[in-house]
Amino acid sequence: MLPASLWHPPPVRGGPPSPRGDRLGLCCQSLSDHAVGTDPPAGRTGQRQNRGMRTRLGCLSHKSDSYNDFTAILPDKPNRALKRLSTEEATRWADSFDVLLSHKYGLAAFRAFLKTEFSEENLEFWLACEDFKKTRSAAKLAAKAQRIFEEFIDVQAPREVNIDFQTRELTRRNVQEPSLSCFDQAQGKVHSLMEKDSYPRFLRSKIYTDLLSQTQRRLS
């Protein structure tokens, strides 16, 4: 045994959390640490255990980026939908993000893709805001605004979207005296995030490229 004066504690393994898309690598790391019995420093134990649990659950529920992910949530039966969807229509989804969102099957394909990235809450919030702006009953306006805020905007909301503190607080104040425009800034931020981040990856995804191939194969 080494004298106490020569003994140094082993370096703490780990570092900043992996990006959201690298769940598989983080999951394997978490399981490996558990297998060898590595004990994190006191005070960080709960944090690491919670993060590890979320990561393992994420690994187990991960969906593959495939054409089947799209057909599973089509608003129509898959065969009927593919007969109605032309290659020209699917190609136009790459013209702009708004063209994609305005097309029934484009919206379904994009939702399926976001599910593979665990970020479908962004689209669901955007759709909830679109529906909210159609509200004509003043009696329903306040209740709907509060429900959207609690589900998507509030800190630790069940499906919290990624917006900055200033936008969250502005929206919080708006909801106190709700109007049809009270979510406009938050919705715009989320739209911009999806357009700049998720949309380009969707156009490169297997869901989209397989869909194009399917429509082209039908014509050959």
Side-chain angles (χ1 to χ4, degrees):
M1 178 180 299
L2 288 173
S5 60
L6 297 179
W7 182 85
H8 297 283
V12 176
R13 301 194 332 180
S18 299
R20 192 175 190 175
D22 193 23
R23 284 178 169 78
L24 182 58
L26 185 57
C27 178
C28 295
Q29 175 68 45
S30 176
L31 292 175
S32 174
D33 287 348
H34 177 75
V36 299
T38 301
D39 294 326
R44 297 181 61 186
T45 303
Q47 180 183 359
R48 287 199 172 192
Q49 286 177 342
N50 290 338
R51 186 168 66 236
M53 179 62 71
R54 289 195 301 268
T55 303
R56 287 193 287 274
L57 290 175
C59 291
L60 293 174
S61 62
H62 181 70
K63 298 178 176 63
S64 63
D65 176 9
S66 72
Y67 175 71
N68 289 334
D69 292 334
F70 162 64
T71 58
I73 64 170
L74 278 173
D76 297 325
K77 293 181 179 180
N79 290 338
R80 184 186 304 173
L82 290 177
K83 288 179 181 179
R84 294 180 177 180
L85 180 64
S86 67
T87 302
E88 181 181 2
E89 286 179 298
T91 301
R92 287 189 64 240
W93 298 349
D95 290 348
S96 77
F97 185 47
D98 289 327
V99 169
L100 172 71
L101 294 180
S102 66
H103 195 282
K104 178 168 63 174
Y105 300 142
L107 188 65
F110 187 57
R111 177 186 276 121
F113 170 72
L114 291 181
K115 284 181 178 293
T116 71
E117 294 202 332
F118 302 92
S119 61
E120 65 269 24
E121 69 277 357
N122 292 321
L123 180 60
E124 298 302 335
F125 170 68
W126 185 86
L127 291 171
C129 291
E130 290 295 287
D131 178 71
F132 176 78
K133 288 185 287 189
K134 299 174 184 176
T135 305
R136 294 294 173 259
S137 169
K140 294 181 179 179
L141 197 67
K144 290 180 71 173
Q146 189 63 34
R147 186 165 59 249
I148 292 173
F149 182 84
E150 291 176 355
E151 184 173 0
F152 296 103
I153 302 295
D154 205 3
V155 177
Q156 296 184 344
R159 295 196 282 178
E160 184 181 355
V161 294
N162 185 16
I163 57 174
D164 57 89
F165 174 80
Q166 289 79 9
T167 301
R168 177 180 287 108
E169 292 308 303
L170 172 63
T171 307
R172 187 190 303 277
R173 293 193 296 271
N174 290 344
V175 169
Q176 302 307 312
E177 298 181 6
S179 67
L180 295 178
S181 62
C182 68
F183 291 108
D184 281 1
Q185 182 165 334
Q187 185 186 19
K189 296 272 187 178
V190 170
H191 180 282
S192 179
L193 176 66
M194 291 191 294
E195 184 175 28
K196 294 177 181 178
D197 187 41
S198 303
Y199 175 55
R201 289 199 302 274
F202 166 75
L203 296 178
R204 299 190 298 268
S205 71
K206 187 171 175 58
I207 287 179
Y208 182 55
T209 56
D210 281 0
L211 177 63
L212 284 177
S213 298
Q214 288 285 340
T215 59
Q216 292 167 351
R217 191 176 300 124
R218 192 181 68 239
L219 296 176
S220 59

